[in-house]
Amino acid sequence: MQRRPLLQALALSPLASAFSTSAQRRQQGRPSAGYGPLRPVADEATGLPLLMLPAGFRYRSFGWAGEALANGGTVPGAADGMGIVKQQGEVFTLVRNHEIFGTAGGFGPAGSHYDVGCDGGTVTLRYDRAAGQLLEQRGSLSGTLVNCAGGTTPWGSWLSCEEIVTPAGHSGQMRGKPFKLEKPHGFVFEVPADGVSNARALAALGQFKHEAALVDADGTVYLTEDAQPAGFYRLLPARKGDLAAGGRLQMLRARKASDLRTGLKARQQLDVDWVDIEHPADGVGDNGHNGVLNQGRARGGSLFTRLEGLHAGRDEIFFTSTDGGDAKAGQVWRFIPSQQQLELFAESPGASVFDYPDNLCLHPRNDLIVICEDSKQPVQRLYGLRRDGGHDGLAGLFELVRNNVQLAGGEVEKLPALKGDFRGAEWAGTCFSADGKTLFANVYRPGFTVAISGPF
């Protein structure tokens, strides 16, 4: 995309001003953990003030929904989970999920289609950071449904997760039109850094409402489930680095707490073990979608609610619960593999503090957690959370970025149809470059990626 001047000045609305005042109130009485107040900053690609950032930060947008793909079709919307799967000098290869439930025929090459008529999948982006230029965008997996989040692997690929469970032959009506699915859904698919996916469902990783996936250094795969209730899972692979070879799927069991959705205190720690899932590919079960969860519950597996993002630090794995906690405003969990211990790292006391945490990532220094917001708030934010959060885990919480996307139509070169107020669109797909200088993130609607740089 080419930079062009603004067609008109886009001032903040009273709603956004009120939101800013609310954000200031949230931080009163807390130590200064952030980078200072936020202000509108112009995108270096379009010239539009798409984001609000602290002083010293800049960004460039790329990979907009509606642009052409190099191997056929156009870039879908609903830009969700994303990860860096390859870096060559200043050129980053990212794979981005598109969380679409539709049966219009998909995108990209036919060889990457799982269930031919389905529209979800992934787009692979090659971005030159030094030049600030998108080099290529191509379809790399299609024929899937509701590709929400996922995770990268140590061998340089992306695990794309379907957040839906349907049996083979499922049919119904969508937007007044009939549809029929040929294959079952609710699986994880691997996407290579180069080329396209073989569109093979990794059955050992289970059939459930997948959210995120993470491959730890020892080869164990951790998985979150976005359901109410939900489980936290791991796969012990039969062969490290080869997920198609299968393995043993298990669900976490806290030894003294069967229900982790409410009633806990921040920094409370629990010893855990794991229970086996005998039939990981039987996600439909008796009630249509909870087959895997019910198997784990029958053996004492512990219940969470709406588990989302997943990211590893040093002998620790962070994950979020969107509506967990007594206030149902969200929880941040920390699992320590070497100790088999689970900690409620932080819990929101209400939507005015932080609300509905989703995807998350850690800065390479391991001192900053970036959390995506997907809430009913009128404007969505990226939160920063410092490791030293005090007794409630929240002393280090601050606003890092605010969504400010307001398009009057015609501002985005080659995409004149994009129009609307998208400030309420969720953040997703956050990931840091290895040097910690760039934070990549997605604005879910209308659907694009930003590369944010600054003094992290």
Side-chain angles (χ1 to χ4, degrees), residues 21 91-92 97 129 202 226 262 271 281 289 299 343 364 436:
T21 302
V91 176
F92 293 82
N97 274 6
R129 180 172 63 176
L202 299 172
D226 190 355
T262 58
D271 293 328
H289 63 272
R299 295 192 168 200
E343 177 186 55

Side-chain angles (χ1 to χ4, degrees), residues 152-169:
T152 59
T153 69
W155 50 90
S157 63
W158 171 254
L159 299 177
S160 183
C161 298
E162 290 186 308
E163 189 194 351
I164 190 172
V165 173
T166 65

Side-chain angles (χ1 to χ4, degrees), residues 163-181:
E163 189 194 351
I164 190 172
V165 173
T166 65
H170 179 65
S171 61
Q173 292 275 332
M174 185 179 64
R175 300 187 183 97
K177 297 181 179 180
F179 71 87
K180 183 174 182 179
L181 308 178

Side-chain angles (χ1 to χ4, degrees), residues 50-111:
L50 303 173
L51 306 183
M52 295 181 68
L53 293 165
F57 286 79
R58 52 190 288 204
Y59 68 101
R60 179 175 287 270
S61 70
F62 60 95
W64 286 72
E67 292 184 326
L69 292 169
N71 53 1
T74 58
V75 177
D80 210 302
M82 182 174 69
I84 300 168
V85 294
K86 185 178 181 179
Q87 181 180 354
Q88 294 176 300
E90 287 292 290
V91 176
F92 293 82
T93 301
L94 304 105
V95 181
R96 185 176 73 190
N97 274 6
H98 292 271
E99 189 186 27
I100 298 172
F101 185 99
T103 54
F107 59 91

